[in-house]
Amino acid sequence: MPLVPEIDFGTPASRSEKMVTLTIDGNEISVPEGTSIMRASMEAGIQVPKLCATDMVDAFGSCRLCLVEIEGRNGTPASCTTPVAPGLVVHTQTSRLKQIRKGVMELYISDHPLDCLTCAANGDCELQDMAGAVGLRDVRYGYEGDNHVKARNNGEANARWMPKDESNPYFTYDPSKCIVCSRCVRACEEVQGTFALTIEGRGFDSRVSPGMHEHFLDSECVSCGACVQACPTATLTEKSVIEIGQPEHSVVTTCAYCGVGCSFKAEMRGEELVRMVPWKDGQANRGHSCVKGRFAYGYSTHRERILNPMIREKISDPWREVTWEEAYAHVAAEFRRIQYQYGRDSIGGITSSRCTNEETYLVQKLIRAGFGNNNVDTCARVCHSPTGYGLGQAFGTSAGTQDFDSVEHTDVVIIIGANPTDAHPVFGSRLKKRLRQGAKLIVVDPRRIDLVSSPHVKASYHLPLRPGTNVAVVTALAHVIVTEGLFDERFIRERCDWSEFEDWAAFVAEPRHSPEETEALTGVPAETLRGAARLFATGGNGSIYYGLGVTEHSQGSTTVMAIANLAMATGNIGREGVGVNPLRGQNNVQGSCDMGSFPHELPGYRHISDDATRDVFEKMWGVKLNNEPGLRINNMLDAAVEGTFMGLYIQGEDILQSDPDTRHVSAGLAAMECVVVQDLFLNETANYAHVFLPGSTFLEKDGTFTNAERRINRVRRVMTPKNGYADWEVTQNLAKAMGLDWNYTHPSEIMDEIAATTPSFALVSYDYLDKIGSVQWPCNEQHPLGSPIMHTDGFVRGKGKFIRTEYVATDEKTGPRFPLLLTTGRILSQYNVGAQTRRTDNVVWHEEDRLEIHPHDADNRGIRDGDWVRLTSRAGETTLRALVTDRVATGVVYTTFHHPGTQANVITTDFSDWATNCPEYKVTAVQISPSNGPSDWQVEYDELSKRSRRIAGKLEAAE
């Protein structure tokens, strides 16, 4: 199995539809207008030597190796910066060019270490390759003069030499090997958009510098890896390559972090992972990556990973390692006992948004066909369930409308309740690139996220609304558009129900919805809001991207419908550059919903009460299905406390850390008689578990993930599961122990069953995905190549539905006891509950959760930056360190929830969305005060965690 080949064409592809014909080395070639001569040559199979050129960034023309001769023109122009023209006759290899290239290479090598045999890039060095390509056999200059290579010259310290920078945990920077091609600088600017690197000095003193001559770790570098990938020498090298050596084969797979769904080449030596390299043909990421997907895979071999099944009678007992057969038999016997004692509906399960579609499908199948009920739910309940409800009501389907490529065609972007540069960084980079090209940005967020103002990107409008007033703000935007006649009447008459629009328009036009009336409520200045509304309605292609800051509210579903109203009113649906786009948080949260993980829906979002739908699955599964919707997560916990729900199978979710009102979650779990956790580590939920089934990582399994743009991507196994089984095999074996006759031999067979029962997946198979790369559902006879853009000719429901969105204030109120509002979010280096990223070197950037507080609020409470503070709400209290910043407004505080020691969700309440029970994480009334130590809850919880992680026969706790 070789390395997956990728061709570097030297310069980006041209999008022109006009073709140009020219002759290169006697070959007649036709390419799109605007293509460089270098790329045209490469497409014809003619490789022009290059060092500064790569097709991930624009042409630069500094290395002078790619020179060519053009008949009728003087000189030797650089092929990377010279565009094709009709009738050109180009020569890439002449005696003159050979002489020039050799001379250029001599100059490069004269200031470069000749330690090729011991260099980490040996075998993967473009400088080495180009020396061979130009036939370099001798270097006339040597090191006798100035050089950057040696620490000492003739016994004297060499001021030009710089030591290797090893501050970054994942890669090294060796200035002595830098050829100043600027590829890393350009990648940081053009691909990532951080502008963390520069070239310092002039002439011979030039070298790459992070920031103002800083170490990489101390600079603005976000460790996305774009610079390392761009570097043609060993100047920037992964530490894993230095330690392990060059990879010998690779497999294309999909990242298991956020909902962007980046494609990577897992580059291997045997079964050891050397590095993850973003795949240029990945249609979600287009060859880019972030620090998590690129580098944070070390958790897969972390010492705290549990590899053997374990059981215990009581949660106060130490864990006891058992065989897989004992574990399956114990779970089956306990679940049968509970159902016999408490009834058929007394057990249920939670599917994982980190596992594959196939594994999620099997868990919901086990619950419906094996448990005999519909008590199945998923983490989407606590994140994007309002998206499913709101978009389903307005458009007829619950998914986002666009692919990520669509952002390249947008003119005005609204970002509401999302922080793409931290939570969806690869999409964030693509968005920033479009903004640098001239697109306008409107940010609706109580916090000043990076996109409001960052290098070469500045929002036209920032609407810093008070937490909990999303509906009022979006309705006020609609008020301006309607009352000023900025709506798209033609689109509305053709694509929507006109009478419903008239009703909605009359509603939003009421004076109480004007920006002037809502300003006192939302805190957004009326003129700012009016300007934003006019820009969105008149600025061209308008797109809306939103996140959990929209959905995790008591009116989450209402806000989603308000956003849909806004898009339809302005005609921004059904073509490139527009649309309503939920930014999903986990790698397969879209897929977990698609696979029927809600208690009222079978796969494909079809209601469990529909006789025809149930008939399809009953015939396939050979069982009679219950037609009554089951319990949601919060209902399961309520029923547990009441004594009617006693058993729970949780695959790959940590509800104790991620769900709201931690005290209520812990009470529900503690009341159950058999909690089964299937995961990589003894997570927080496992503190209350009776059975632990070891899970497998994305590197150890085959399957598919479905990302935020509905893209179904292959996940490919690159190593043997360290626990012995992929997660789908564990679920199948558990089903067999419970009497079900399942005999899948490969996940492809599960996908075939999904395709046979789910119309939107009808043409999806592993063979098809291997052939075309990836596909966006619906993928069926009507859409054989998938559906990059939804609702192009009409809405799924027929006519788009305008819905009144009345603002209703949350029941969570501030007052004298709790005068501040807490909102929560994520940070770039960490992921969700941190179970994976906390077990990598990413902790160097975020080793603890911090509480952001405005300087005014901090001064009033005698709090300084770095002080320990007590965070108290009506639900509970915790302590953490303060971060004094004006990113948040007065009256608002903010924190992340990545570290279990913080227990941020002890603070959040049980208020939830009116339609879906999605928790209101984003609005919690709190008080802040100085603290001398941890809260009582933190002390008690720490003691519980230590007791719960004891394993019989082992000296130390597992974590």
Side-chain angles (χ1 to χ4, degrees), residues 522-533:
T522 66
V524 178
E527 278 310 303
T528 302
L529 195 146
R530 283 189 177 276

Side-chain angles (χ1 to χ4, degrees), residues 342-660:
Y342 297 98
R344 183 181 62 182
D345 295 332
S346 60
I347 63 173
I350 298 174
T351 71
S352 175
S353 292
R354 291 189 286 125
C355 289
T356 64
N357 286 315
E358 295 77 4
E359 289 162 344
T360 301
Y361 177 86
L362 286 194
V363 172
Q364 64 85 31
K365 179 179 178 179
L366 169 63
I367 292 162
R368 301 186 198 280
F371 295 2
N373 61 47
N374 294 305
N375 293 337
V376 58
D377 213 346
T378 188
C379 85
R381 171 71 53 213
V382 300
C383 60
H384 270 284
S385 52
T387 288
Y389 181 85
L391 295 187
Q393 293 293 307
F395 301 155
T397 186
S398 63
T401 63
Q402 313 295 120
D403 60 5
F404 288 137
D405 286 347
S406 176
V407 76
E408 298 175 7
H409 305 276
T410 195
D411 299 308
V412 184
V413 183
I414 292 180
I415 298 290
I416 175 169
N419 187 7
T421 55
D422 275 19
H424 304 85
V426 170
F427 169 74
S429 293
R430 299 186 70 177
L431 171 62
K432 287 193 291 184
K433 185 171 186 176
R434 179 59 186 152
L435 295 174
R436 292 195 302 274
Q437 293 169 346
K440 304 300 183 184
L441 175 65
I442 300 164
V443 174
V444 186
D445 200 289
R447 186 168 170 261
R448 193 183 71 243
I449 62 174
D450 286 344
L451 282 173
V452 172
S453 182
S454 59
H456 301 278
V457 169
K458 187 173 180 62
S460 298
Y461 295 96
H462 177 209
L463 279 53
L465 77 171
R466 289 195 181 98
T469 61
N470 288 339
V471 172
V473 167
V474 180
T475 304
L477 290 169
H479 172 93
V480 177
I481 290 167
V482 168
T483 57
E484 296 187 8
L486 303 178
F487 54 88
D488 188 337
E489 182 175 343
R490 179 180 176 183
F491 177 90
I492 297 166
R493 287 188 178 276
E494 289 179 357
R495 302 284 300 275
C496 306
D497 187 302
W498 180 255
S499 63
E500 289 177 344
F501 168 75
E502 288 182 310
D503 177 74
W504 172 80
F507 165 75
V508 300
E510 294 175 14
R512 64 193 176 98
H513 296 308
S514 71
E516 289 74 19
E517 289 295 315
T518 58
E519 180 175 344
L521 174 72
T522 66
V524 178
E527 278 310 303
T528 302
L529 195 146
R530 283 189 177 276
R534 291 165 185 153
L535 175 61
F536 184 70
T538 63
N541 287 339
S543 56
I544 303 173
Y545 294 87
Y546 70 88
L548 304 184
V550 162
T551 57
E552 292 178 343
H553 287 272
S554 60
Q555 280 200 288
S557 294
T558 310
T559 308
V560 173
M561 291 187 287
I563 288 171
N565 290 338
L566 201 64
M568 290 188 292
T570 53
N572 282 309
I573 291 289
R575 64 181 188 277
E576 285 186 326
V578 300
V580 176
N581 306 280
L583 294 173
R584 305 262 182 175
Q586 297 201 55
N587 55 297
N588 200 39
V589 66
Q590 178 70 60
S592 68
C593 299
D594 300 341
M595 293 298 102
S597 293
F598 287 135
H600 65 291
E601 288 176 335
L602 286 160
Y605 303 97
R606 291 164 292 169
H607 204 278
I608 191 69
S609 64
D610 182 69
D611 294 339
T613 299
R614 278 200 325 281
D615 184 62
V616 170
F617 288 93
E618 287 174 349
K619 288 178 179 177
M620 177 67 73
W621 296 348
V623 297
K624 190 73 175 175
L625 296 180
N626 190 330
N627 65 353
E628 289 291 328
L631 299 175
R632 298 171 175 177
I633 292 176
N634 55 305
N635 302 137
M636 296 179 196
L637 296 169
D638 291 341
V641 173
E642 294 168 1
T644 58
F645 187 88
M646 293 289 111
L648 185 61
Y649 172 35
I650 307 172
Q651 184 187 72
E653 290 296 337
D654 192 358
I655 62 172
L656 187 66
Q657 189 177 344
S658 64
D659 284 27

Side-chain angles (χ1 to χ4, degrees), residues 39-77:
R39 187 178 182 99
S41 301
M42 200 65 191
E43 290 183 2
I46 300 168
Q47 185 171 356
V48 179
K50 59 181 174 61
L51 279 174
C52 74
T54 177
D55 55 16
M56 287 295 291
V57 295
D58 292 337
F60 195 56
S62 72
C63 75
R64 316 313 295 169
L65 269 189
C66 71
L67 308 180
V68 294
E69 290 187 340
I70 302 174
E71 291 187 8
R73 293 191 186 182
N74 294 327
T76 53

Side-chain angles (χ1 to χ4, degrees), residues 7-11 22-31 35-50 65-69 79-80 88-94 97 101 130 133:
I7 298 174
D8 187 343
F9 292 93
T11 60
L22 70 161
T23 301
I24 302 177
D25 290 347
N27 300 287
E28 191 172 273
I29 300 164
S30 294
V31 294
T35 301
S36 70
I37 289 177
M38 174 181 284
R39 187 178 182 99
S41 301
M42 200 65 191
E43 290 183 2
I46 300 168
Q47 185 171 356
V48 179
K50 59 181 174 61
L65 269 189
C66 71
L67 308 180
V68 294
E69 290 187 340
S79 62
C80 64
L88 284 186
V89 178
V90 179
H91 301 282
T92 70
Q93 190 79 348
T94 67
L97 291 172
R101 288 170 183 159
M130 291 305 104

Side-chain angles (χ1 to χ4, degrees), residues 135-423:
L136 185 67
R137 298 294 175 263
D138 187 29
V139 178
R140 292 170 288 174
Y141 306 110
Y143 297 148
E144 286 73 18
D146 288 341
N147 71 80
H148 298 90
V149 178
K150 295 181 178 181
R152 305 186 75 83
N153 275 335
N154 300 318
E156 299 292 328
N158 181 4
R160 299 186 187 278
W161 179 84
M162 279 178 56
K164 185 185 292 188
D165 178 1
E166 301 195 62
S167 62
N168 189 286
Y170 296 121
F171 60 85
T172 65
Y173 167 49
D174 187 349
S176 71
K177 296 186 177 181
C178 179
I179 60 173
V180 201
C181 64
S182 293
R183 274 165 58 163
C184 59
V185 176
R186 290 180 287 141
C188 188
E189 294 175 359
E190 299 175 30
V191 180
Q192 170 57 28
T194 297
F195 293 81
L197 304 181
T198 188
I199 301 294
E200 66 178 11
R202 288 181 174 273
F204 191 69
D205 290 329
S206 301
R207 69 179 90 215
V208 171
S209 172
M212 300 294 289
H213 200 77
E214 301 167 87
H215 287 113
F216 264 89
L217 189 61
D218 301 327
S219 72
E220 293 178 334
C221 170
V222 294
S223 298
C224 67
C227 60
V228 181
Q229 189 177 354
C231 182
T233 69
T235 306
L236 291 160
T237 306
E238 298 96 336
K239 289 183 176 180
S240 58
V241 172
I242 295 173
E243 178 184 345
I244 301 169
Q246 290 294 328
E248 43 83 21
H249 76 272
S250 59
V251 179
V252 175
T253 190
T254 304
C255 178
Y257 279 116
C258 78
V260 174
C262 296
S263 296
F264 279 87
K265 294 183 297 180
E267 297 193 343
M268 314 288 295
R269 286 199 69 82
E271 286 207 337
E272 186 173 16
L273 179 58
V274 177
R275 63 184 173 189
M276 297 288 283
V277 179
W279 192 38
K280 287 198 297 185
D281 288 340
Q283 295 179 60
N285 58 318
R286 302 294 182 187
H288 190 36
S289 60
C290 79
V291 63
K292 295 188 287 291
R294 182 73 156 89
F295 297 116
Y297 50 80
Y299 67 88
S300 63
T301 55
H302 196 274
R303 61 182 178 81
E304 290 174 0
R305 187 172 167 190
I306 304 298
L307 303 179
N308 298 308
M310 302 186 297
I311 62 175
R312 58 184 175 182
E313 299 302 318
K314 304 188 297 294
I315 62 172
S316 58
D317 294 340
W319 286 104
R320 177 169 55 89
E321 291 185 349
V322 297
T323 65
W324 280 103
E325 290 70 23
E326 287 178 90
Y328 297 139
H330 179 80
V331 174
E334 280 294 281
F335 280 175
R336 288 195 202 99
R337 176 190 66 78
I338 290 170
Q339 286 190 301
Y340 178 80
Q341 184 174 346
Y342 297 98
R344 183 181 62 182
D345 295 332
S346 60
I347 63 173
I350 298 174
T351 71
S352 175
S353 292
R354 291 189 286 125
C355 289
T356 64
N357 286 315
E358 295 77 4
E359 289 162 344
T360 301
Y361 177 86
L362 286 194
V363 172
Q364 64 85 31
K365 179 179 178 179
L366 169 63
I367 292 162
R368 301 186 198 280
F371 295 2
N373 61 47
N374 294 305
N375 293 337
V376 58
D377 213 346
T378 188
C379 85
R381 171 71 53 213
V382 300
C383 60
H384 270 284
S385 52
T387 288
Y389 181 85
L391 295 187
Q393 293 293 307
F395 301 155
T397 186
S398 63
T401 63
Q402 313 295 120
D403 60 5
F404 288 137
D405 286 347
S406 176
V407 76
E408 298 175 7
H409 305 276
T410 195
D411 299 308
V412 184
V413 183
I414 292 180
I415 298 290
I416 175 169
N419 187 7
T421 55
D422 275 19

